[in-house]
Amino acid sequence: MTPRGWAVLTLGGLVLALLVASIVLVPWGRPPAPRADQVAALGELPVDQVAHAREFRSALRPGAYGALVVGLLVALLLGLTPLGARLVELAGRPFGGHWTARAVLGGLAVVLLADLLTLPFAAWRQSVLTRYGLSTHGWSGWAVDLLKSYVVSAVIGAIALLGFYTVTRLAPRWWWAFGAAGAAGLVVLLSFVLPVLVEPVFNRFTPMEPGPLRTELMAMAARDGVPVRDVLVADASRRTKAVNAYVSGLGPTRRVVVYDTLLREATPAEVTSVVAHELGHAKDRDVWTGTLTGALGAALAVVALYLLGSWGPLLRLAGVDSVAEPRAFPLLIALVTVAGLVAAPAQALVSRRVEARADAHALALTGDPATFEAMQRRLAGVNLADPDPPRWEYLWSASHPSTVERMAAARAYAREAGR
Ligand SMILES: [Zn+2]
Protein backbone atom coordinates (compact mmCIF):
# COMPACT_ATOMS: atom_id res chain seq x y z
CA MET A 1 0.00 0.00 0.00
CA THR A 2 1.18 3.55 -0.77
CA PRO A 3 1.70 6.21 1.93
CA ARG A 4 -1.45 7.86 0.58
CA GLY A 5 -3.44 4.65 1.05
CA TRP A 6 -2.16 4.37 4.62
CA ALA A 7 -3.11 7.99 5.21
CA VAL A 8 -6.69 7.36 4.06
CA LEU A 9 -6.86 4.33 6.34
CA THR A 10 -5.41 6.30 9.28
CA LEU A 11 -7.86 9.14 8.68
CA GLY A 12 -10.75 6.67 8.80
CA GLY A 13 -9.38 5.18 12.02
CA LEU A 14 -8.99 8.59 13.64
CA VAL A 15 -12.51 9.72 12.64
CA LEU A 16 -13.86 6.49 14.13
CA ALA A 17 -11.81 6.91 17.33
CA LEU A 18 -12.99 10.51 17.71
CA LEU A 19 -16.62 9.45 17.18
CA VAL A 20 -16.33 6.61 19.70
CA ALA A 21 -14.60 8.88 22.22
CA SER A 22 -17.34 11.51 21.84
CA ILE A 23 -20.10 8.94 22.19
CA VAL A 24 -18.56 7.25 25.23
CA LEU A 25 -17.03 10.20 27.09
CA VAL A 26 -19.57 12.99 26.50
CA PRO A 27 -22.66 12.82 28.73
CA TRP A 28 -25.32 12.90 25.99
CA GLY A 29 -28.10 11.30 28.00
CA ARG A 30 -28.90 14.28 30.22
CA PRO A 31 -31.91 16.25 28.97
CA PRO A 32 -31.72 20.05 29.41
CA ALA A 33 -33.91 21.63 32.08
CA PRO A 34 -37.53 22.24 30.96
CA ARG A 35 -37.94 25.47 28.97
CA ALA A 36 -40.89 26.46 31.17
CA ASP A 37 -38.56 26.51 34.20
CA GLN A 38 -36.07 28.57 32.21
CA VAL A 39 -38.70 31.14 31.22
CA ALA A 40 -39.87 31.33 34.83
CA ALA A 41 -36.28 31.87 36.00
CA LEU A 42 -35.78 34.61 33.42
CA GLY A 43 -38.95 36.33 34.62
CA GLU A 44 -37.53 36.51 38.15
CA LEU A 45 -34.29 38.24 37.18
CA PRO A 46 -34.28 42.05 37.54
CA VAL A 47 -35.44 43.57 34.25
CA ASP A 48 -32.80 46.30 34.23
CA GLN A 49 -30.00 43.78 34.94
CA VAL A 50 -31.06 41.68 31.94
CA ALA A 51 -31.37 44.77 29.72
CA HIS A 52 -27.95 46.05 30.79
CA ALA A 53 -26.31 42.66 30.10
CA ARG A 54 -27.94 42.47 26.66
CA GLU A 55 -26.78 45.99 25.84
CA PHE A 56 -23.23 44.98 26.82
CA ARG A 57 -23.34 41.80 24.73
CA SER A 58 -24.63 43.78 21.70
CA ALA A 59 -21.80 46.26 22.12
CA LEU A 60 -19.27 43.38 21.98
CA ARG A 61 -20.77 41.77 18.89
CA PRO A 62 -19.46 44.02 16.06
CA GLY A 63 -15.90 43.57 17.32
CA ALA A 64 -16.23 39.82 17.79
CA TYR A 65 -17.77 39.14 14.38
CA GLY A 66 -15.55 41.73 12.70
CA ALA A 67 -12.49 39.87 14.00
CA LEU A 68 -13.97 36.59 12.79
CA VAL A 69 -14.66 37.87 9.27
CA VAL A 70 -11.36 39.73 8.88
CA GLY A 71 -9.43 36.75 10.30
CA LEU A 72 -11.11 34.43 7.80
CA LEU A 73 -10.57 36.80 4.86
CA VAL A 74 -6.88 37.28 5.70
CA ALA A 75 -6.39 33.52 6.04
CA LEU A 76 -8.11 32.86 2.69
CA LEU A 77 -6.28 35.69 0.94
CA LEU A 78 -2.87 34.49 2.13
CA GLY A 79 -3.63 30.78 1.75
CA LEU A 80 -5.53 30.63 -1.53
CA THR A 81 -3.41 33.12 -3.47
CA PRO A 82 0.41 33.23 -3.92
CA LEU A 83 0.53 36.22 -1.54
CA GLY A 84 1.11 34.03 1.53
CA ALA A 85 3.92 32.06 -0.14
CA ARG A 86 5.56 35.36 -1.07
CA LEU A 87 5.32 36.58 2.52
CA VAL A 88 7.09 33.41 3.71
CA GLU A 89 9.85 33.90 1.11
CA LEU A 90 10.24 37.52 2.18
CA ALA A 91 10.63 36.56 5.84
CA GLY A 92 13.34 34.02 4.94
CA ARG A 93 15.23 36.36 2.55
CA PRO A 94 17.60 37.99 5.10
CA PHE A 95 18.83 34.46 5.86
CA GLY A 96 19.40 33.49 2.26
CA GLY A 97 16.02 31.78 2.06
CA HIS A 98 17.25 28.97 4.33
CA TRP A 99 14.42 26.55 5.03
CA THR A 100 14.57 26.99 8.82
CA ALA A 101 14.17 30.77 8.42
CA ARG A 102 11.25 30.28 6.05
CA ALA A 103 9.68 27.68 8.33
CA VAL A 104 9.95 29.61 11.61
CA LEU A 105 10.08 33.31 10.62
CA GLY A 106 7.79 32.82 7.62
CA GLY A 107 5.26 30.92 9.69
CA LEU A 108 5.34 33.46 12.50
CA ALA A 109 5.06 36.34 10.01
CA VAL A 110 1.85 34.87 8.58
CA VAL A 111 0.32 34.48 12.04
CA LEU A 112 1.54 37.92 13.18
CA LEU A 113 0.06 39.63 10.10
CA ALA A 114 -3.34 38.08 10.81
CA ASP A 115 -3.02 39.12 14.49
CA LEU A 116 -2.13 42.70 13.57
CA LEU A 117 -5.02 43.03 11.13
CA THR A 118 -7.49 41.86 13.78
CA LEU A 119 -5.86 44.01 16.47
CA PRO A 120 -8.37 46.88 16.05
CA PHE A 121 -11.16 44.47 16.97
CA ALA A 122 -9.32 43.34 20.09
CA ALA A 123 -8.93 47.01 21.02
CA TRP A 124 -12.65 47.52 20.38
CA ARG A 125 -13.40 44.70 22.80
CA GLN A 126 -11.13 46.19 25.44
CA SER A 127 -12.80 49.62 25.05
CA VAL A 128 -16.25 48.04 25.55
CA LEU A 129 -15.02 46.09 28.62
CA THR A 130 -13.62 49.32 30.06
CA ARG A 131 -16.77 51.31 29.29
CA TYR A 132 -18.91 48.75 31.10
CA GLY A 133 -16.50 48.60 34.04
CA LEU A 134 -15.49 44.94 33.63
CA SER A 135 -11.87 45.64 32.74
CA THR A 136 -9.72 47.07 35.50
CA HIS A 137 -6.17 47.08 34.16
CA GLY A 138 -6.30 49.98 31.68
CA TRP A 139 -4.73 50.19 28.24
CA SER A 140 -1.15 49.66 29.40
CA GLY A 141 -2.07 46.48 31.28
CA TRP A 142 -4.02 45.33 28.24
CA ALA A 143 -1.05 45.97 25.95
CA VAL A 144 1.32 44.09 28.27
CA ASP A 145 -1.04 41.10 28.36
CA LEU A 146 -1.28 41.20 24.58
CA LEU A 147 2.51 41.25 24.17
CA LYS A 148 2.87 38.39 26.65
CA SER A 149 0.36 36.30 24.70
CA TYR A 150 2.22 37.06 21.44
CA VAL A 151 5.50 35.92 23.02
CA VAL A 152 3.95 32.71 24.43
CA SER A 153 2.34 31.90 21.04
CA ALA A 154 5.58 32.69 19.22
CA VAL A 155 7.60 30.33 21.44
CA ILE A 156 5.10 27.45 21.14
CA GLY A 157 4.60 28.25 17.43
CA ALA A 158 8.34 28.30 16.67
CA ILE A 159 8.83 24.89 18.31
CA ALA A 160 5.87 23.43 16.41
CA LEU A 161 6.94 24.95 13.07
CA LEU A 162 10.56 23.83 13.39
CA GLY A 163 9.46 20.33 14.45
CA PHE A 164 6.92 20.02 11.66
CA TYR A 165 9.16 21.17 8.80
CA THR A 166 12.10 19.10 10.07
CA VAL A 167 9.84 16.05 9.80
CA THR A 168 8.56 16.95 6.31
CA ARG A 169 12.20 17.17 5.17
CA LEU A 170 13.42 13.98 6.85
CA ALA A 171 10.41 11.88 5.83
CA PRO A 172 8.97 13.36 2.62
CA ARG A 173 6.59 10.43 2.09
CA TRP A 174 5.61 9.66 5.70
CA TRP A 175 5.71 13.08 7.36
CA TRP A 176 1.95 13.00 7.91
CA ALA A 177 2.31 9.97 10.21
CA PHE A 178 5.08 11.55 12.33
CA GLY A 179 3.29 14.91 12.15
CA ALA A 180 0.04 13.42 13.42
CA ALA A 181 1.81 11.68 16.32
CA GLY A 182 3.77 14.87 17.07
CA ALA A 183 0.64 17.07 17.03
CA ALA A 184 -1.18 14.68 19.36
CA GLY A 185 1.86 14.55 21.65
CA LEU A 186 2.08 18.34 21.71
CA VAL A 187 -1.56 18.62 22.80
CA VAL A 188 -0.94 16.20 25.69
CA LEU A 189 2.30 17.95 26.66
CA LEU A 190 0.60 21.37 26.64
CA SER A 191 -2.18 20.08 28.92
CA PHE A 192 0.49 19.10 31.44
CA VAL A 193 2.67 22.20 31.24
CA LEU A 194 0.18 25.03 30.63
CA PRO A 195 -0.73 25.43 34.32
CA VAL A 196 2.90 25.54 35.43
CA LEU A 197 4.59 27.27 32.48
CA VAL A 198 2.00 29.47 30.76
CA GLU A 199 -0.70 30.43 33.28
CA PRO A 200 1.88 32.01 35.68
CA VAL A 201 2.92 34.36 32.85
CA PHE A 202 -0.48 36.05 33.12
CA ASN A 203 -1.46 35.59 36.78
CA ARG A 204 -0.01 35.04 40.20
CA PHE A 205 -1.32 31.99 42.01
CA THR A 206 -1.28 31.69 45.78
CA PRO A 207 -2.64 28.91 47.98
CA MET A 208 -5.95 29.89 49.56
CA GLU A 209 -5.44 31.31 53.05
CA PRO A 210 -6.13 28.87 55.89
CA GLY A 211 -9.55 29.46 57.42
CA PRO A 212 -13.07 28.05 57.63
CA LEU A 213 -13.65 28.31 53.85
CA ARG A 214 -10.46 26.48 52.91
CA THR A 215 -11.13 23.81 55.54
CA GLU A 216 -14.66 23.38 54.18
CA LEU A 217 -13.45 23.12 50.57
CA MET A 218 -10.74 20.56 51.36
CA ALA A 219 -13.23 18.52 53.42
CA MET A 220 -15.69 18.60 50.53
CA ALA A 221 -12.99 17.42 48.09
CA ALA A 222 -12.12 14.57 50.45
CA ARG A 223 -15.81 13.66 50.81
CA ASP A 224 -16.06 13.68 47.01
CA GLY A 225 -13.09 11.35 46.67
CA VAL A 226 -11.17 13.88 44.59
CA PRO A 227 -7.63 14.33 45.85
CA VAL A 228 -6.91 18.07 45.74
CA ARG A 229 -3.57 19.25 47.08
CA ASP A 230 -4.66 22.84 47.31
CA VAL A 231 -7.12 25.41 46.11
CA LEU A 232 -5.23 28.21 44.37
CA VAL A 233 -6.32 31.83 44.17
CA ALA A 234 -5.50 33.78 40.97
CA ASP A 235 -5.00 37.55 41.16
CA ALA A 236 -7.54 38.13 38.38
CA SER A 237 -8.67 41.39 39.97
CA ARG A 238 -5.71 43.24 38.47
CA ARG A 239 -7.29 42.69 35.06
CA THR A 240 -11.02 42.19 35.48
CA LYS A 241 -14.04 42.46 37.73
CA ALA A 242 -15.40 39.20 36.29
CA VAL A 243 -15.64 36.17 38.60
CA ASN A 244 -14.63 32.66 37.60
CA ALA A 245 -13.03 29.37 38.63
CA TYR A 246 -11.53 26.49 36.68
CA VAL A 247 -9.55 23.25 36.81
CA SER A 248 -6.51 22.70 34.62
CA GLY A 249 -3.54 20.42 34.32
CA LEU A 250 -3.19 16.65 34.48
CA GLY A 251 -1.88 14.36 37.19
CA PRO A 252 0.81 16.18 39.17
CA THR A 253 -0.10 19.56 37.61
CA ARG A 254 -3.85 19.34 38.28
CA ARG A 255 -5.23 22.29 40.21
CA VAL A 256 -8.48 23.97 41.18
CA VAL A 257 -8.20 27.73 40.71
CA VAL A 258 -10.62 30.41 41.91
CA TYR A 259 -10.39 34.08 40.98
CA ASP A 260 -9.74 36.46 43.87
CA THR A 261 -12.73 38.41 42.50
CA LEU A 262 -14.94 35.42 43.30
CA LEU A 263 -13.78 35.36 46.92
CA ARG A 264 -14.46 39.08 47.14
CA GLU A 265 -17.90 39.07 45.48
CA ALA A 266 -19.52 35.82 46.53
CA THR A 267 -20.57 34.38 49.87
CA PRO A 268 -18.55 31.40 51.23
CA ALA A 269 -21.49 29.09 50.46
CA GLU A 270 -21.50 30.30 46.86
CA VAL A 271 -17.74 29.76 46.54
CA THR A 272 -18.31 26.23 47.84
CA SER A 273 -20.95 25.72 45.14
CA VAL A 274 -18.51 26.88 42.43
CA VAL A 275 -15.71 24.66 43.72
CA ALA A 276 -18.14 21.71 43.84
CA HIS A 277 -18.70 22.29 40.11
CA GLU A 278 -14.93 22.30 39.51
CA LEU A 279 -14.56 19.09 41.55
CA GLY A 280 -17.11 17.59 39.14
CA HIS A 281 -14.72 18.33 36.27
CA ALA A 282 -11.88 16.71 38.20
CA LYS A 283 -13.91 13.66 39.20
CA ASP A 284 -15.21 13.03 35.68
CA ARG A 285 -11.71 13.54 34.24
CA ASP A 286 -12.93 16.29 31.93
CA VAL A 287 -9.41 17.64 31.39
CA TRP A 288 -8.35 14.15 30.26
CA THR A 289 -11.36 13.93 27.97
CA GLY A 290 -10.59 17.33 26.49
CA THR A 291 -6.93 16.41 26.06
CA LEU A 292 -7.72 13.06 24.44
CA THR A 293 -10.27 14.47 21.99
CA GLY A 294 -7.95 17.42 21.34
CA ALA A 295 -5.06 15.06 20.58
CA LEU A 296 -7.19 12.91 18.27
CA GLY A 297 -8.49 16.05 16.55
CA ALA A 298 -4.96 17.40 16.05
CA ALA A 299 -3.74 14.10 14.58
CA LEU A 300 -6.79 13.95 12.33
CA ALA A 301 -6.14 17.52 11.15
CA VAL A 302 -2.55 16.70 10.12
CA VAL A 303 -3.60 13.63 8.10
CA ALA A 304 -6.51 15.53 6.52
CA LEU A 305 -4.18 18.40 5.59
CA TYR A 306 -1.79 15.93 3.95
CA LEU A 307 -4.58 14.40 1.87
CA LEU A 308 -6.21 17.74 0.96
CA GLY A 309 -2.79 19.20 0.29
CA SER A 310 -2.07 16.78 -2.51
CA TRP A 311 -4.99 18.23 -4.43
CA GLY A 312 -3.54 20.02 -7.48
CA PRO A 313 -5.99 22.94 -7.84
CA LEU A 314 -5.42 23.97 -4.21
CA LEU A 315 -1.62 23.93 -4.64
CA ARG A 316 -1.90 25.95 -7.85
CA LEU A 317 -4.05 28.58 -6.12
CA ALA A 318 -1.43 28.92 -3.38
CA GLY A 319 1.41 28.94 -5.94
CA VAL A 320 3.32 26.07 -4.28
CA ASP A 321 4.54 22.66 -5.43
CA SER A 322 3.88 20.74 -2.25
CA VAL A 323 1.93 21.25 0.93
CA ALA A 324 4.98 20.02 2.87
CA GLU A 325 7.11 23.10 2.11
CA PRO A 326 7.20 26.16 4.38
CA ARG A 327 5.83 28.33 1.55
CA ALA A 328 2.58 26.33 1.80
CA PHE A 329 2.11 27.21 5.48
CA PRO A 330 -0.46 29.97 4.69
CA LEU A 331 -2.50 27.36 2.80
CA LEU A 332 -2.47 25.12 5.90
CA ILE A 333 -3.59 28.07 8.05
CA ALA A 334 -6.44 28.83 5.64
CA LEU A 335 -7.66 25.21 5.77
CA VAL A 336 -7.32 25.06 9.57
CA THR A 337 -9.21 28.36 9.96
CA VAL A 338 -12.13 27.13 7.88
CA ALA A 339 -12.16 23.78 9.72
CA GLY A 340 -12.12 25.63 13.06
CA LEU A 341 -15.18 27.66 12.11
CA VAL A 342 -17.03 24.55 10.97
CA ALA A 343 -16.12 22.64 14.14
CA ALA A 344 -17.00 25.48 16.55
CA PRO A 345 -20.69 24.58 17.08
CA ALA A 346 -19.80 20.91 17.72
CA GLN A 347 -17.13 21.90 20.24
CA ALA A 348 -19.54 24.26 21.98
CA LEU A 349 -22.20 21.53 22.15
CA VAL A 350 -19.78 19.05 23.73
CA SER A 351 -18.56 21.69 26.18
CA ARG A 352 -22.13 22.55 27.28
CA ARG A 353 -22.89 18.88 27.94
CA VAL A 354 -19.76 18.48 30.03
CA GLU A 355 -20.52 21.71 31.95
CA ALA A 356 -24.10 20.56 32.63
CA ARG A 357 -22.69 17.35 34.13
CA ALA A 358 -20.39 19.37 36.40
CA ASP A 359 -23.43 21.44 37.47
CA ALA A 360 -25.33 18.25 38.33
CA HIS A 361 -22.29 17.11 40.31
CA ALA A 362 -22.23 20.40 42.26
CA LEU A 363 -25.94 20.08 43.09
CA ALA A 364 -25.58 16.49 44.27
CA LEU A 365 -22.39 17.18 46.24
CA THR A 366 -23.64 20.27 48.07
CA GLY A 367 -27.32 19.30 48.18
CA ASP A 368 -27.93 23.04 48.12
CA PRO A 369 -29.85 24.11 45.00
CA ALA A 370 -30.81 27.49 46.52
CA THR A 371 -27.17 28.56 46.86
CA PHE A 372 -26.37 27.14 43.43
CA GLU A 373 -29.11 29.28 41.92
CA ALA A 374 -28.02 32.36 43.87
CA MET A 375 -24.48 31.82 42.56
CA GLN A 376 -25.74 31.62 38.97
CA ARG A 377 -27.58 34.91 39.42
CA ARG A 378 -24.45 36.48 40.83
CA LEU A 379 -22.23 35.10 38.05
CA ALA A 380 -24.58 36.54 35.44
CA GLY A 381 -24.86 39.85 37.29
CA VAL A 382 -21.14 40.44 37.81
CA ASN A 383 -20.02 39.07 34.43
CA LEU A 384 -22.81 40.88 32.54
CA ALA A 385 -23.89 37.59 30.93
CA ASP A 386 -27.08 37.52 28.88
CA PRO A 387 -29.06 35.03 31.00
CA ASP A 388 -30.93 33.76 27.93
CA PRO A 389 -28.78 34.55 24.86
CA PRO A 390 -30.02 34.50 21.25
CA ARG A 391 -30.46 30.92 20.06
CA TRP A 392 -28.07 31.17 17.12
CA GLU A 393 -25.30 32.62 19.26
CA TYR A 394 -25.88 29.98 21.93
CA LEU A 395 -25.64 27.15 19.39
CA TRP A 396 -22.62 28.71 17.68
CA SER A 397 -20.42 29.54 20.61
CA ALA A 398 -21.83 29.02 24.12
CA SER A 399 -19.37 26.90 26.12
CA HIS A 400 -21.70 26.74 29.15
CA PRO A 401 -25.44 26.24 29.60
CA SER A 402 -27.18 29.63 29.83
CA THR A 403 -27.90 31.19 33.23
CA VAL A 404 -31.60 30.37 32.97
CA GLU A 405 -30.77 26.76 32.03
CA ARG A 406 -28.54 26.46 35.08
CA MET A 407 -31.14 28.06 37.35
CA ALA A 408 -33.78 25.73 35.92
CA ALA A 409 -31.50 22.73 36.48
CA ALA A 410 -31.24 23.72 40.15
CA ARG A 411 -35.04 23.93 40.39
CA ALA A 412 -35.46 20.54 38.74
CA TYR A 413 -32.97 19.10 41.23
CA ALA A 414 -34.80 20.71 44.14
CA ARG A 415 -38.12 19.21 42.97
CA GLU A 416 -36.62 15.74 42.59
CA ALA A 417 -34.81 15.91 45.90
CA GLY A 418 -37.92 17.32 47.59
CA ARG A 419 -36.04 20.30 48.99
ZN1 LIG B 1 -17.11 24.14 34.37
Side-chain angles (χ1 to χ4, degrees):
M1 202 155 53
T2 62
R4 202 181 154 71
W6 280 109
V8 172
L9 204 66
T10 307
L11 185 73
L14 285 168
V15 169
L16 196 68
L18 198 58
L19 275 176
V20 171
S22 328
I23 291 168
V24 174
L25 298 172
V26 178
W28 296 109
R30 194 182 302 279
R35 182 65 191 162
D37 282 351
Q38 297 179 32
V39 174
L42 183 63
E44 287 170 30
L45 290 169
V47 177
D48 52 339
Q49 180 195 315
V50 175
H52 185 60
R54 289 192 167 152
E55 196 188 282
F56 168 67
R57 294 290 152 185
S58 308
L60 283 178
R61 239 166 244 141
Y65 293 106
L68 200 94
V69 170
V70 169
L72 178 64
L73 288 179
V74 171
L76 292 179
L77 189 68
L78 291 179
L80 300 184
T81 73
L83 277 177
R86 227 166 282 158
L87 178 61
V88 172
E89 282 168 26
L90 213 63
R93 194 168 292 170
F95 304 88
H98 193 273
W99 72 270
T100 49
R102 282 188 175 183
V104 176
L105 299 178
L108 292 182
V110 169
V111 177
L112 186 65
L113 180 64
D115 279 344
L116 288 179
L117 291 173
T118 51
L119 190 60
F121 299 103
W124 171 307
R125 179 184 162 77
Q126 168 62 13
S127 75
V128 174
L129 290 175
T130 307
R131 183 147 45 90
Y132 279 80
L134 264 186
S135 170
T136 54
H137 63 166
W139 285 99
S140 58
W142 175 78
V144 169
D145 269 1
L146 199 71
L147 282 175
K148 282 181 183 172
S149 70
Y150 282 167
V151 171
V152 168
S153 314
V155 170
I156 297 174
I159 295 169
L161 283 163
L162 194 61
F164 179 69
Y165 287 108
T166 303
V167 169
T168 62
R169 284 175 69 84
L170 292 179
R173 281 156 53 82
W174 293 96
W175 63 261
W176 58 269
F178 296 105
L186 189 63
V187 169
V188 177
L189 180 71
L190 285 179
S191 269
F192 273 104
V193 301
L194 279 181
V196 280
L197 285 188
V198 176
E199 288 173 14
V201 174
F202 297 95
N203 278 105
R204 228 198 326 271
F205 298 88
T206 43
M208 184 182 271
E209 276 176 33
L213 179 58
R214 185 180 181 280
T215 308
E216 158 72 17
L217 295 178
M218 300 305 281
M220 179 170 70
R223 197 165 76 235
D224 200 20
V226 179
V228 172
R229 219 162 294 129
D230 222 333
V231 176
L232 296 178
V233 180
D235 62 341
S237 59
R238 59 183 201 81
R239 178 180 305 124
T240 182
K241 279 209 164 61
V243 296
N244 203 359
Y246 64 90
V247 277
S248 65
L250 290 171
T253 64
R254 185 173 76 189
R255 68 240 349 252
V256 173
V257 177
V258 296
Y259 280 19
D260 57 353
T261 46
L262 179 73
L263 297 180
R264 214 167 289 168
E265 291 280 339
T267 66
E270 288 170 355
V271 175
T272 307
S273 190
V274 170
V275 172
H277 168 103
E278 302 308 330
L279 290 177
H281 284 312
K283 183 144 190 169
D284 289 311
R285 300 175 184 282
D286 290 337
V287 178
W288 270 113
T289 301
T291 303
L292 177 71
T293 49
L296 285 172
L300 195 153
V302 171
V303 182
L305 286 173
Y306 163 76
L307 289 170
L308 259 179
S310 52
W311 193 37
L314 218 47
L315 296 179
R316 274 194 293 281
L317 277 178
V320 296
D321 302 320
S322 154
V323 73
E325 56 170 304
R327 288 170 69 250
F329 180 68
L331 173 61
L332 298 185
I333 288 287
L335 295 172
V336 167
T337 304
V338 172
L341 289 177
V342 173
Q347 280 177 327
L349 173 66
V350 167
S351 172
R352 287 194 301 272
R353 293 297 178 133
V354 169
E355 293 298 339
R357 173 169 65 187
D359 279 350
H361 183 88
L363 286 165
L365 182 59
T366 61
D368 186 357
T371 301
F372 181 92
E373 188 174 329
M375 184 62 227
Q376 295 308 321
R377 285 165 178 261
R378 191 185 300 277
L379 270 175
V382 176
N383 295 350
L384 299 183
D386 183 343
D388 193 26
R391 193 73 190 150
W392 56 272
E393 203 166 71
Y394 174 87
L395 292 175
W396 168 262
S397 61
S399 62
H400 288 64
S402 66
T403 301
V404 295
E405 274 183 308
R406 302 176 91 173
M407 289 168 70
R411 291 168 187 208
Y413 171 84
R415 263 201 309 273
E416 279 164 33
R419 282 170 206 268

